[in-house]
Amino acid sequence: MSRALLLLTCVVSSLAVAAPEHSPRPGGIAVIDLGAADAAPPAVRYGGKPVLVMQEGERWHAVVGIPLDTAPGTLAIEVEGSDNVFDVAAHAYEEQRLTVKNQSYVTPDQAQLDRIGRERRILDAALNSFRDVTVDDLSLIAPVDGRRSSSFGLRRFFNEQPRSPHKGMDIAAGTGTPIAAPLDGIVTATGDFFFNGKTVIVDHGQGFVTLYCHLSEIAVEEGQAVSTGDTIGLVGATGRVTGPHLHFGTYLNGTAVDPAILIAD
Ligand SMILES: [Zn+2]
């Protein structure tokens, strides 16, 4: 084969790859071959929740979000009622200790706890939505240009009190920077939340959901369809933050996964 033809073959095959890289670690994504795509896609569940199934080449693949608190070892998904087992590797995430000056963010009062509870239910509903449509590509463009932290999974302590681990990627950008939809989808929630500030959630189908927090402005409405590149809001510093940045979250089967696996560079 000539060198030019070999190069062309590589380009074509890399374009044809639509599923994310198999990343079987806590907070990662498992891509599991389910067999030939010569019949309807098999029904897959993990932890009682439906799992995204997509066709790649001539095969069906399950694309499973692995929870951050998963212990290394074997993990089973349910495929048409039978267990399908794969290995989850260990991964060491870092720790960070922060001092937060506004004490109400560390120890919320009862009214704030009530508000946080109401908002949690809205966020959980949107992050767990499952729209049964064909999904053929999960690769994302970066929602804003800027330095991307590798802080997904970071275990944080605010004023020495442990908090849940960081479930997204922080991208440094100035207030007012436009945020682009990284893939086609439908806006399923918007609001101004206690911790997350002004927030947008976009549903890309089959439980693949993206989250944008701390915006200065929201540019979309619930129910609105967005296309890759559309502006969904502007970067800001609303909610519990120390400065302007975008908190970008990616979810599969209701579980936060590392956005770095999904952003195509
Ligand atoms: Zn963040």
Side-chain angles (χ1 to χ4, degrees), residues 6 90 99 208 235 239 261:
L6 186 66
T99 304
F208 182 34
V235 171
I261 301 167

Side-chain angles (χ1 to χ4, degrees), residues 7 16-17 22 41 50 66 74 84 141 143 149-150 205 207 214 232 256:
L7 189 66
V17 173
H22 180 53
I66 304 169
T74 57
N84 184 316
I141 63 165
S149 77
S150 57
H214 314 308
I232 57 175

Side-chain angles (χ1 to χ4, degrees), residues 151 156 166-170 214 245-248:
S151 66
R156 294 177 300 183
H166 189 230
K167 291 184 175 172
M169 167 190 278
D170 291 338
H214 314 308
H245 71 277
L246 174 66
H247 173 96
F248 177 48

Side-chain angles (χ1 to χ4, degrees), residues 126-200:
L127 296 177
N128 282 284
S129 65
F130 191 91
R131 201 160 46 90
D132 197 2
V133 292
T134 300
V135 174
D136 54 17
D137 190 3
L138 279 73
S139 57
L140 305 177
I141 63 165
V144 299
D145 290 330
R147 190 178 53 78
R148 299 177 210 156
S149 77
S150 57
S151 66
F152 179 89
L154 187 73
R155 293 185 296 153
R156 294 177 300 183
F157 299 78
F158 290 126
N159 301 356
E160 296 303 316
Q161 296 178 30
R163 286 292 179 268
S164 57
H166 189 230
K167 291 184 175 172
M169 167 190 278
D170 291 338
I171 307 178
T175 295
T177 305
I179 301 163
L183 186 66
D184 295 355
I186 292 174
V187 177
T188 48
T190 62
D192 190 355
F193 300 106
F194 183 75
F195 287 118
N196 296 332
K198 289 184 182 172
T199 294
V200 172

Side-chain angles (χ1 to χ4, degrees), residues 197-229:
K198 289 184 182 172
T199 294
V200 172
I201 298 179
V202 181
D203 173 346
H204 304 284
Q206 289 197 50
F208 182 34
V209 175
T210 53
L211 168 74
Y212 311 82
C213 301
H214 314 308
L215 313 193
S216 59
E217 274 183 53
I218 293 171
V220 288
E221 294 177 354
E222 285 176 34
Q224 184 178 333
V226 291
S227 300
T228 307

